[in-house]
Amino acid sequence: MKIISKFRDFYDYKVAKYGMDEKLVYTRKTYCEYFESFAIDIYTASDDRISEENFNKNLKENFEYFKGINFHKILILGEKLIHLFFTENGVYTHFDAKNLDVSKGKYQSYYSKEITFNDERNFEITTDFGYAWDKLFSYDRKKLFSSMKIDKSDIILNEPMLLIEYFGESYDKNLKYHRSLYKFTYNPNLSQMGVYIDEDFIWQSLVEFLSNKRSEKEISPEVSNENKILSKGFDLKTSFRPNMKKKHKGDR
């Protein structure tokens, strides 16, 4: 795999072990967008989607950022879902949890889960995905977004890495109503966030994802604009020329 990026991350050095494949290119450009709602297994409308530009221009001024200390985020790595728990003691993953069956814990609710990790530290974790907790850890990328009507070319399905987090509340100027916003960060800088996962696992997950995408393109090559037009029943010579129609038998 070849990485094109303006920043370095902690797993980059693995290129020395696995080599650089010029045909598998990870363009690691970080950018983000927002969703007004993101409920797993519930349809999320396309008009709930907000660009970074729109957020900065229209929503940022009246926005209350989430400031939780111990909280849950979802990292999509290739096709896999990694659950991150940001705590006062650093960042844990669901692989570090001693037991994720937390139904009998002291602080259990939709929004709060008490988790003990392998180092015997215990934290009350705030989560915005608690209603789906029992099945959340078996999901992959496709399952997570199965309720969203998005095209297979959408960035949500095609960027190699994606971080999902509850971001805060947006208010109107008169504080009459508010709406929750979820932030989607594509290709984040993991080390900058304090997220350290096994480097081989990251590298192999990214290579697998990029290899599958490459295979899909080889199996279903991109259709040219001319063929797209013809497949819709249009004629290249007459359909897109002004004031021109096909001549039919009997026309004068």
Side-chain angles (χ1 to χ4, degrees):
M1 176 175 67
K2 178 180 180 180
I3 299 176
I4 299 175
S5 177
K6 291 184 178 180
F7 63 87
R8 292 190 62 80
D9 219 333
F10 68 95
Y11 56 87
D12 290 4
Y13 77 96
K14 284 296 178 179
V15 68
K17 175 179 178 179
Y18 293 102
M20 184 180 295
D21 186 345
E22 296 282 351
K23 295 181 180 179
L24 294 180
V25 180
Y26 177 16
T27 304
R28 194 171 57 196
K29 180 181 178 181
T30 302
Y31 60 102
C32 65
E33 63 178 340
Y34 305 84
F35 281 82
E36 287 188 22
S37 64
F38 181 64
I40 297 167
D41 291 338
I42 299 175
Y43 172 62
T44 299
S46 59
D47 56 359
D48 285 344
R49 204 164 182 168
I50 300 168
S51 68
E52 185 174 13
E53 180 183 4
N54 189 358
F55 173 80
N56 291 331
K57 184 178 180 180
N58 300 311
L59 301 177
K60 191 175 183 180
E61 183 179 347
N62 298 292
F63 190 79
E64 183 178 335
Y65 295 90
F66 174 67
K67 298 178 181 178
I69 298 174
N70 303 317
F71 52 95
H72 172 210
K73 299 182 182 182
I74 295 175
L75 177 69
I76 297 176
L77 183 61
E79 291 293 347
K80 303 175 179 67
L81 258 62
I82 310 298
H83 297 274
L84 304 177
F85 305 105
F86 288 75
T87 75
E88 302 158 90
N89 192 51
V91 183
Y92 295 89
T93 73
H94 67 277
F95 299 121
D96 302 315
K98 201 167 187 179
N99 187 0
L100 285 167
D101 180 12
V102 293
S103 57
K104 298 181 180 179
K106 181 179 179 181
Y107 299 106
Q108 307 317 322
S109 71
Y110 279 154
Y111 301 105
S112 181
K113 301 293 178 183
E114 186 180 6
I115 301 177
T116 301
F117 295 95
N118 292 328
D119 60 3
E120 300 301 331
R121 289 182 178 266
N122 181 282
F123 295 98
E124 183 183 351
I125 303 293
T126 300
T127 178
D128 211 63
F129 309 102
Y131 61 92
W133 192 265
D134 292 339
K135 51 190 175 182
L136 194 59
F137 300 92
S138 64
Y139 276 22
D140 59 13
R141 182 194 295 246
K142 291 179 181 177
K143 180 64 176 176
L144 186 69
F145 297 117
S146 60
S147 62
M148 293 180 65
K149 295 180 181 179
I150 53 178
D151 189 86
K152 64 180 181 180
S153 63
D154 195 289
I155 55 174
I156 286 177
L157 300 178
N158 289 279
E159 286 290 8
M161 201 181 299
L162 167 60
L163 181 74
I164 302 174
E165 60 185 307
Y166 167 66
F167 200 53
E169 301 287 325
S170 175
Y171 295 84
D172 76 333
K173 293 182 180 180
N174 298 317
L175 300 179
K176 291 182 179 179
Y177 68 90
H178 64 89
R179 49 184 172 172
S180 299
L181 283 190
Y182 297 80
K183 185 178 182 181
F184 283 33
T185 303
Y186 300 96
N187 308 311
N189 187 328
L190 298 182
S191 55
Q192 192 176 66
M193 298 188 300
V195 176
Y196 294 95
I197 305 171
D198 182 82
E199 298 94 331
D200 293 290
F201 177 77
I202 293 176
W203 192 276
Q204 292 167 6
S205 297
L206 292 172
V207 166
E208 180 183 15
F209 180 79
L210 292 171
S211 298
N212 289 338
K213 291 299 177 185
R214 179 187 168 193
S215 298
E216 288 174 8
K217 287 184 178 180
E218 290 175 350
I219 295 172
S220 303
E222 187 175 349
V223 180
S224 68
N225 287 333
E226 289 187 356
N227 286 334
K228 288 179 181 178
I229 293 170
L230 291 172
S231 68
K232 300 294 183 182
F234 293 104
D235 185 276
L236 293 173
K237 293 182 179 180
T238 61
S239 296
F240 297 92
R241 294 184 183 181
N243 301 321
M244 290 188 68
K245 296 182 179 179
K246 287 185 180 180
K247 289 186 177 181
H248 296 280
K249 189 175 181 181
D251 288 348
R252 293 183 180 179

